[in-house]
Coordinates of all heavy atoms in Angstrom, one line a residue:
M71 N 87.7 109.0 84.8 CA 86.9 108.5 83.7 C 87.5 107.2 83.2 O 88.8 107.1 83.0 CB 86.7 109.5 82.6 CG 85.9 109.1 81.5 SD 85.4 110.5 80.5 CE 83.7 110.2 80.5
I72 N 86.7 106.2 82.9 CA 87.2 104.9 82.4 C 87.1 104.9 80.8 O 86.1 105.4 80.3 CB 86.4 103.8 83.0 CG1 87.0 102.4 82.7 CG2 84.9 103.8 82.6 CD1 86.4 101.3 83.5
S73 N 88.1 104.3 80.2 CA 88.0 104.3 78.7 C 87.1 103.2 78.3 O 86.8 102.2 79.1 CB 89.4 103.9 78.2 OG 89.8 102.6 78.5
P74 N 86.5 103.3 77.1 CA 85.5 102.3 76.6 C 86.1 100.9 76.6 O 85.4 99.9 77.0 CB 85.2 102.8 75.2 CG 85.4 104.2 75.3 CD 86.6 104.4 76.2
S75 N 87.4 100.7 76.2 CA 88.0 99.4 76.2 C 88.1 98.8 77.6 O 87.9 97.6 77.8 CB 89.3 99.4 75.4 OG 90.2 100.2 76.1
D76 N 88.5 99.6 78.6 CA 88.6 99.2 79.9 C 87.2 98.8 80.5 O 87.1 97.8 81.2 CB 89.2 100.2 80.8 CG 90.7 100.4 80.5 OD1 91.3 99.5 79.9 OD2 91.2 101.5 80.9
F77 N 86.2 99.6 80.2 CA 84.8 99.3 80.6 C 84.4 97.9 80.0 O 83.8 97.1 80.8 CB 83.9 100.4 80.1 CG 82.4 100.1 80.4 CD1 81.9 100.4 81.7 CD2 81.6 99.5 79.5 CE1 80.6 100.2 82.0 CE2 80.3 99.2 79.8 CZ 79.8 99.6 81.1
M78 N 84.7 97.7 78.8 CA 84.3 96.4 78.1 C 85.0 95.2 78.8 O 84.4 94.2 79.1 CB 84.6 96.4 76.6 CG 83.9 97.5 75.9 SD 82.1 97.2 75.7 CE 82.2 96.1 74.3
K79 N 86.3 95.4 79.1 CA 87.0 94.3 79.7 C 86.5 94.1 81.2 O 86.4 92.9 81.6 CB 88.5 94.7 79.8 CG 89.2 94.6 78.5 CD 90.6 95.0 78.6 CE 91.3 95.1 77.2 NZ 92.7 95.6 77.3
K80 N 86.2 95.2 81.9 CA 85.7 95.1 83.2 C 84.4 94.3 83.3 O 84.2 93.5 84.3 CB 85.5 96.5 83.8 CG 85.0 96.5 85.2 CD 84.9 97.9 85.7 CE 84.3 97.9 87.2 NZ 84.2 99.3 87.6
H81 N 83.5 94.5 82.3 CA 82.2 93.9 82.4 C 82.1 92.6 81.5 O 81.0 92.1 81.3 CB 81.2 94.9 81.9 CG 81.0 96.0 82.9 ND1 80.4 95.8 84.1 CD2 81.4 97.3 82.9 CE1 80.4 96.9 84.8 NE2 81.0 97.8 84.1
G82 N 83.3 92.1 81.2 CA 83.3 90.7 80.5 C 83.0 90.7 79.0 O 82.8 89.6 78.5
F83 N 83.0 91.8 78.4 CA 82.9 91.8 76.9 C 84.2 91.7 76.3 O 85.2 92.4 76.6 CB 82.2 93.1 76.4 CG 80.8 93.3 77.0 CD1 80.5 94.1 78.0 CD2 79.8 92.6 76.4 CE1 79.3 94.3 78.5 CE2 78.5 92.7 76.8 CZ 78.2 93.6 77.9
E84 N 84.4 90.7 75.4 CA 85.6 90.5 74.7 C 85.6 91.3 73.5 O 84.7 91.3 72.7 CB 85.8 89.0 74.4 CG 85.9 88.1 75.7 CD 87.2 88.4 76.5 OE1 88.2 88.7 75.9 OE2 87.1 88.3 77.7
E85 N 86.7 91.9 73.2 CA 86.9 92.6 71.9 C 87.2 91.6 70.9 O 88.1 90.7 71.1 CB 88.0 93.7 72.0 CG 87.6 94.8 72.9 CD 88.7 95.9 72.8 OE1 89.3 96.1 71.8 OE2 88.9 96.6 73.9
E86 N 86.6 91.7 69.7 CA 86.9 90.9 68.6 C 88.3 91.3 68.0 O 88.6 92.5 67.9 CB 85.9 90.9 67.5 CG 84.6 90.3 67.9 CD 83.6 90.3 66.8 OE1 84.0 90.4 65.6 OE2 82.4 90.2 67.1
E87 N 89.0 90.3 67.7 CA 90.3 90.5 67.1 C 90.1 91.1 65.7 O 89.3 90.6 64.9 CB 91.1 89.2 66.9 CG 92.5 89.4 66.5 CD 93.3 88.1 66.6 OE1 93.2 87.4 67.6 OE2 93.9 87.8 65.6
E88 N 90.7 92.3 65.4 CA 90.5 93.0 64.2 C 91.2 92.2 63.1 O 92.4 91.9 63.2 CB 90.9 94.4 64.3 CG 90.5 95.2 63.1 CD 90.7 96.7 63.3 OE1 90.5 97.2 64.4 OE2 91.1 97.4 62.4
K89 N 90.5 91.9 62.0 CA 91.2 91.2 60.9 C 91.8 92.2 60.0 O 91.3 93.3 59.8 CB 90.1 90.4 60.1 CG 89.5 89.3 60.9 CD 88.6 88.5 60.1 CE 87.9 87.4 60.9 NZ 86.9 86.7 60.1
E90 N 92.9 91.7 59.3 CA 93.5 92.5 58.3 C 92.6 92.5 57.1 O 92.0 91.5 56.8 CB 94.9 92.0 58.0 CG 95.9 92.2 59.0 CD 97.3 91.8 58.6 OE1 97.6 92.1 57.4 OE2 98.0 91.1 59.4
H91 N 92.6 93.6 56.4 CA 91.9 93.7 55.1 C 92.9 93.8 54.0 O 93.0 94.8 53.3 CB 90.9 94.9 55.1 CG 89.8 94.7 56.1 ND1 88.7 93.9 55.9 CD2 89.6 95.3 57.3 CE1 87.9 93.9 56.9 NE2 88.4 94.8 57.8
T92 N 93.6 92.7 53.8 CA 94.5 92.6 52.7 C 94.0 91.7 51.6 O 93.1 90.9 51.9 CB 95.9 92.1 53.2 OG1 95.7 90.8 53.7 CG2 96.5 93.0 54.3
L93 N 94.6 91.7 50.5 CA 94.2 90.8 49.4 C 94.4 89.3 49.8 O 93.5 88.5 49.5 CB 94.9 91.1 48.1 CG 94.6 92.4 47.4 CD1 95.5 92.6 46.2 CD2 93.2 92.4 47.0
E94 N 95.4 89.1 50.5 CA 95.7 87.7 51.0 C 94.6 87.2 52.0 O 94.1 86.1 51.8 CB 97.1 87.7 51.7 CG 97.5 86.3 52.1 CD 98.8 86.3 52.8 OE1 99.4 87.3 53.0 OE2 99.3 85.2 53.2
E95 N 94.3 88.1 53.0 CA 93.3 87.7 53.9 C 91.9 87.5 53.3 O 91.2 86.6 53.6 CB 93.2 88.7 55.1 CG 94.4 88.7 56.0 CD 94.6 87.3 56.7 OE1 93.6 86.7 57.1 OE2 95.7 86.9 56.7
N96 N 91.6 88.4 52.3 CA 90.3 88.3 51.6 C 90.2 87.0 50.8 O 89.2 86.4 50.8 CB 90.1 89.5 50.7 CG 89.9 90.8 51.5 OD1 89.6 90.8 52.7 ND2 90.0 91.9 50.9
S97 N 91.3 86.7 50.1 CA 91.3 85.5 49.3 C 91.2 84.2 50.2 O 90.5 83.3 49.8 CB 92.5 85.4 48.4 OG 93.7 85.3 49.2
K98 N 91.8 84.2 51.4 CA 91.7 83.1 52.3 C 90.3 82.9 52.8 O 89.8 81.8 52.9 CB 92.6 83.3 53.5 CG 94.1 83.1 53.2 CD 94.9 83.3 54.4 CE 96.4 83.2 54.1 NZ 97.2 83.5 55.3
E99 N 89.6 84.1 53.1 CA 88.2 84.0 53.5 C 87.3 83.5 52.4 O 86.4 82.7 52.7 CB 87.8 85.4 53.9 CG 86.4 85.5 54.5 CD 86.3 84.7 55.9 OE1 87.3 84.6 56.6 OE2 85.2 84.2 56.2
R100 N 87.5 83.9 51.2 CA 86.7 83.4 50.1 C 87.0 81.9 49.9 O 86.1 81.1 49.6 CB 87.0 84.1 48.8 CG 86.3 85.5 48.7 CD 86.4 86.0 47.3 NE 87.8 86.2 46.8 CZ 88.6 87.2 47.0 NH1 88.2 88.2 47.8 NH2 89.8 87.2 46.6
A101 N 88.2 81.4 50.1 CA 88.6 80.0 49.9 C 87.9 79.2 51.0 O 87.5 78.0 50.7 CB 90.1 79.8 49.9
R102 N 87.7 79.7 52.1 CA 87.0 78.9 53.2 C 85.5 78.8 52.9 O 84.9 77.8 53.4 CB 87.2 79.7 54.5 CG 88.6 79.5 55.1 CD 88.7 80.2 56.5 NE 90.1 80.5 56.8 CZ 90.6 81.7 56.8 NH1 89.8 82.7 56.6 NH2 91.9 81.8 57.1
K103 N 85.0 79.7 52.2 CA 83.5 79.6 51.9 C 83.3 79.3 50.4 O 83.0 80.2 49.6 CB 82.9 81.0 52.2 CG 83.0 81.4 53.7 CD 82.4 82.7 53.9 CE 82.5 83.1 55.4 NZ 82.0 84.4 55.6
I104 N 83.5 78.1 50.1 CA 83.4 77.6 48.7 C 82.0 77.7 48.2 O 81.1 77.2 48.9 CB 84.0 76.2 48.5 CG1 85.4 76.2 48.8 CG2 83.7 75.7 47.1 CD1 86.0 74.8 48.8
K105 N 81.7 78.4 47.1 CA 80.4 78.4 46.5 C 80.5 78.3 45.0 O 81.6 78.5 44.4 CB 79.6 79.6 47.0 CG 80.3 81.0 46.6 CD 79.5 82.1 47.1 CE 80.1 83.4 46.6 NZ 79.4 84.6 47.1
R106 N 79.4 78.2 44.4 CA 79.3 78.0 42.9 C 79.9 79.3 42.3 O 79.6 80.4 42.6 CB 77.8 77.9 42.5 CG 77.6 77.6 41.1 CD 76.2 77.3 40.8 NE 75.3 78.4 41.0 CZ 75.1 79.4 40.1 NH1 75.6 79.3 38.9 NH2 74.3 80.4 40.4
P107 N 80.7 79.1 41.2 CA 81.3 80.2 40.6 C 80.3 81.0 39.8 O 79.3 80.5 39.3 CB 82.4 79.6 39.6 CG 82.0 78.2 39.5 CD 81.2 77.8 40.7
N108 N 80.5 82.3 39.7 CA 79.6 83.2 38.9 C 79.9 83.2 37.5 O 79.0 83.3 36.6 CB 79.7 84.7 39.4 CG 79.2 84.8 40.8 OD1 78.4 84.0 41.3 ND2 79.6 85.9 41.5
A109 N 81.1 83.1 37.1 CA 81.6 83.1 35.8 C 82.9 82.3 35.7 O 83.4 81.8 36.7 CB 81.8 84.5 35.3
G110 N 83.5 82.2 34.6 CA 84.7 81.5 34.5 C 84.9 80.8 33.2 O 84.0 80.8 32.3
T111 N 86.0 80.1 33.0 CA 86.2 79.3 31.8 C 85.6 78.0 31.9 O 85.1 77.6 33.0 CB 87.8 79.1 31.7 OG1 88.2 78.3 32.7 CG2 88.5 80.4 31.7
P112 N 85.4 77.3 30.8 CA 84.9 75.9 30.9 C 85.7 75.0 31.9 O 85.1 74.2 32.5 CB 85.0 75.4 29.5 CG 84.9 76.7 28.6 CD 85.6 77.7 29.4
H113 N 87.0 75.3 32.0 CA 87.8 74.5 32.9 C 87.3 74.8 34.4 O 87.3 73.8 35.2 CB 89.3 74.8 32.8 CG 89.8 74.5 31.4 ND1 89.9 73.3 30.9 CD2 90.2 75.4 30.4 CE1 90.4 73.3 29.7 NE2 90.5 74.6 29.3
D114 N 87.0 76.0 34.7 CA 86.5 76.3 36.0 C 85.2 75.6 36.3 O 85.1 75.0 37.4 CB 86.3 77.8 36.2 CG 87.5 78.7 36.1 OD1 88.6 78.1 36.3 OD2 87.4 79.9 35.7
W115 N 84.3 75.5 35.4 CA 83.1 74.8 35.6 C 83.3 73.3 35.7 O 82.6 72.6 36.5 CB 82.1 75.2 34.5 CG 81.5 76.5 34.7 CD1 81.9 77.7 34.1 CD2 80.5 76.9 35.6 NE1 81.2 78.7 34.6 CE2 80.4 78.3 35.5 CE3 79.8 76.2 36.5 CZ2 79.4 79.0 36.3 CZ3 78.8 76.9 37.3 CH2 78.7 78.3 37.2
E116 N 84.2 72.8 34.9 CA 84.5 71.3 35.0 C 85.1 71.0 36.4 O 84.7 70.0 37.0 CB 85.5 70.9 33.9 CG 84.9 70.9 32.6 CD 86.0 70.8 31.5 OE1 87.2 70.7 31.8 OE2 85.6 70.7 30.3
D117 N 86.0 71.9 36.9 CA 86.5 71.7 38.3 C 85.4 71.8 39.3 O 85.4 71.0 40.3 CB 87.5 72.8 38.6 CG 88.8 72.6 37.8 OD1 89.0 71.5 37.2 OD2 89.6 73.6 37.7
W118 N 84.4 72.7 39.1 CA 83.3 72.9 40.0 C 82.5 71.6 40.0 O 82.1 71.1 41.1 CB 82.5 74.1 39.7 CG 81.2 74.1 40.5 CD1 79.9 73.9 40.1 CD2 81.1 74.4 41.9 NE1 79.1 74.0 41.1 CE2 79.7 74.3 42.3 CE3 82.0 74.6 42.9 CZ2 79.3 74.5 43.6 CZ3 81.6 74.8 44.2 CH2 80.2 74.7 44.5
E119 N 82.1 71.1 38.9 CA 81.3 69.9 38.8 C 82.0 68.7 39.4 O 81.4 67.9 40.1 CB 81.0 69.6 37.3 CG 80.0 70.6 36.7 CD 78.7 70.6 37.4 OE1 78.2 69.6 37.9 OE2 78.1 71.7 37.5
R120 N 83.4 68.6 39.2 CA 84.1 67.6 39.9 C 84.1 67.7 41.4 O 83.9 66.7 42.1 CB 85.6 67.6 39.3 CG 86.4 66.4 39.7 CD 87.8 66.4 39.0 NE 87.8 66.8 37.6 CZ 88.3 67.9 37.2 NH1 89.0 68.7 38.0 NH2 88.3 68.2 35.9
Y121 N 84.3 68.9 41.9 CA 84.3 69.2 43.3 C 82.9 68.8 43.9 O 82.8 68.2 44.9 CB 84.6 70.6 43.6 CG 84.6 71.0 45.1 CD1 85.6 70.8 45.9 CD2 83.4 71.6 45.6 CE1 85.6 71.1 47.2 CE2 83.3 71.9 46.9 CZ 84.4 71.6 47.8 OH 84.3 71.9 49.1
K122 N 81.9 69.3 43.2 CA 80.5 69.1 43.6 C 80.2 67.6 43.7 O 79.5 67.1 44.7 CB 79.6 69.8 42.7 CG 78.2 69.9 43.2 CD 77.4 70.9 42.3 CE 76.2 70.2 41.7 NZ 75.4 71.1 40.9
S123 N 80.7 66.8 42.8 CA 80.4 65.3 42.8 C 81.1 64.6 44.0 O 80.7 63.5 44.4 CB 80.8 64.7 41.5 OG 82.2 64.7 41.3
T124 N 82.2 65.2 44.5 CA 82.9 64.5 45.6 C 82.7 65.1 47.0 O 83.1 64.5 47.9 CB 84.4 64.6 45.3 OG1 84.8 65.9 45.2 CG2 84.8 63.8 44.0
H125 N 82.0 66.2 47.1 CA 81.8 66.9 48.4 C 80.3 67.1 48.5 O 79.6 67.7 47.7 CB 82.5 68.2 48.5 CG 84.0 68.0 48.5 ND1 84.7 67.9 47.3 CD2 84.9 68.0 49.5 CE1 86.0 67.7 47.6 NE2 86.1 67.8 49.0
D126 N 79.8 66.7 49.7 CA 78.3 66.8 50.0 C 78.0 68.3 50.2 O 76.9 68.7 49.9 CB 77.9 66.0 51.2 CG 78.1 64.5 50.9 OD1 77.9 64.1 49.7 OD2 78.3 63.8 51.9
D127 N 78.9 69.1 50.8 CA 78.6 70.5 51.2 C 78.5 71.4 49.9 O 77.9 72.5 50.0 CB 79.6 71.0 52.1 CG 81.0 71.0 51.6 OD1 81.3 70.3 50.6 OD2 81.8 71.8 52.1
A128 N 78.9 71.0 48.8 CA 78.8 71.8 47.6 C 77.4 71.9 47.1 O 77.0 73.0 46.6 CB 79.7 71.2 46.5
D129 N 76.6 71.0 47.4 CA 75.2 71.1 47.0 C 74.5 72.2 47.8 O 73.6 72.9 47.3 CB 74.4 69.8 47.2 CG 74.9 68.7 46.2 OD1 75.3 69.1 45.1 OD2 74.8 67.5 46.6
D130 N 74.9 72.4 49.0 CA 74.3 73.4 49.9 C 74.7 74.8 49.3 O 73.9 75.7 49.4 CB 74.8 73.3 51.3 CG 74.4 72.1 52.0 OD1 73.3 71.5 51.6 OD2 75.0 71.6 52.9
A131 N 75.9 74.9 48.8 CA 76.3 76.2 48.2 C 75.5 76.6 47.0 O 75.2 77.8 46.8 CB 77.8 76.2 47.8
D132 N 75.1 75.6 46.2 CA 74.2 75.9 45.1 C 72.9 76.4 45.5 O 72.3 77.3 44.9 CB 74.0 74.6 44.2 CG 75.1 74.4 43.2 OD1 75.8 75.4 42.9 OD2 75.2 73.3 42.6
T133 N 72.3 75.8 46.5 CA 70.9 76.2 46.9 C 70.9 77.6 47.6 O 70.0 78.3 47.5 CB 70.3 75.2 47.9 OG1 71.2 75.1 49.0 CG2 70.1 73.9 47.2
E134 N 72.0 78.0 48.2 CA 72.1 79.3 48.8 C 72.1 80.4 47.8 O 71.6 81.5 48.0 CB 73.4 79.4 49.7 CG 73.3 78.6 51.0 CD 74.6 78.7 51.8 OE1 75.5 79.5 51.4 OE2 74.7 77.9 52.7
D135 N 72.8 80.2 46.6 CA 72.8 81.2 45.6 C 71.5 81.4 44.9 O 71.2 82.4 44.4 CB 73.9 80.8 44.5 CG 75.3 81.0 45.1 OD1 75.5 81.6 46.1 OD2 76.2 80.4 44.4
D136 N 70.6 80.4 44.9 CA 69.4 80.5 44.2 C 68.3 81.2 45.0 O 67.3 81.5 44.5 CB 68.9 79.0 43.9 CG 69.8 78.3 42.9 OD1 70.5 79.0 42.2 OD2 69.7 77.0 42.9
R137 N 68.6 81.5 46.3 CA 67.6 82.1 47.1 C 67.4 83.6 46.8 O 68.0 84.3 46.3 CB 68.0 82.0 48.6 CG 67.8 80.6 49.0 CD 68.2 80.5 50.5 NE 68.3 79.1 50.8 CZ 68.7 78.6 51.9 NH1 69.0 79.4 52.9 NH2 68.9 77.3 52.1

């Protein structure tokens, strides 16, 4: 009998690398996907407005939240 992982390899299916579910990995993932903050201090919002004015992709993040 062939194991499921051997079958997948034999037929060309690649196994996805399992990611760690640590606080560090989760925070890195959130940092890669910048979006409008839900809450925060006035300083956080000032930072967001400054970021939004200098980066074109920040406008896309605003529209995704509104959907």
Side-chain angles (χ1 to χ4, degrees):
M71 180 166 231
I72 189 169
S73 71
S75 60
D76 290 339
F77 177 84
M78 299 290 277
K79 288 177 186 176
K80 180 179 177 182
H81 293 286
F83 295 100
E84 296 293 323
E85 290 185 33
E86 290 185 19
E87 190 174 308
E88 192 169 320
K89 295 181 182 178
E90 290 186 41
H91 291 286
T92 62
L93 291 175
E94 180 181 5
E95 289 300 317
N96 293 344
S97 64
K98 286 178 184 177
E99 186 64 28
R100 281 191 304 274
R102 287 185 200 107
K103 298 178 182 177
I104 296 175
K105 60 181 183 179
R106 186 175 64 87
N108 294 340
T111 66
H113 300 291
D114 294 335
W115 284 99
E116 290 170 358
D117 290 344
W118 171 250
E119 292 298 326
R120 191 175 317 112
Y121 177 84
K122 194 167 120 176
S123 68
T124 59
H125 294 82
D126 294 333
D127 61 338
D129 292 331
D130 296 337
D132 272 345
T133 58
E134 288 176 9
D135 288 344
D136 295 340
R137 292 181 192 174

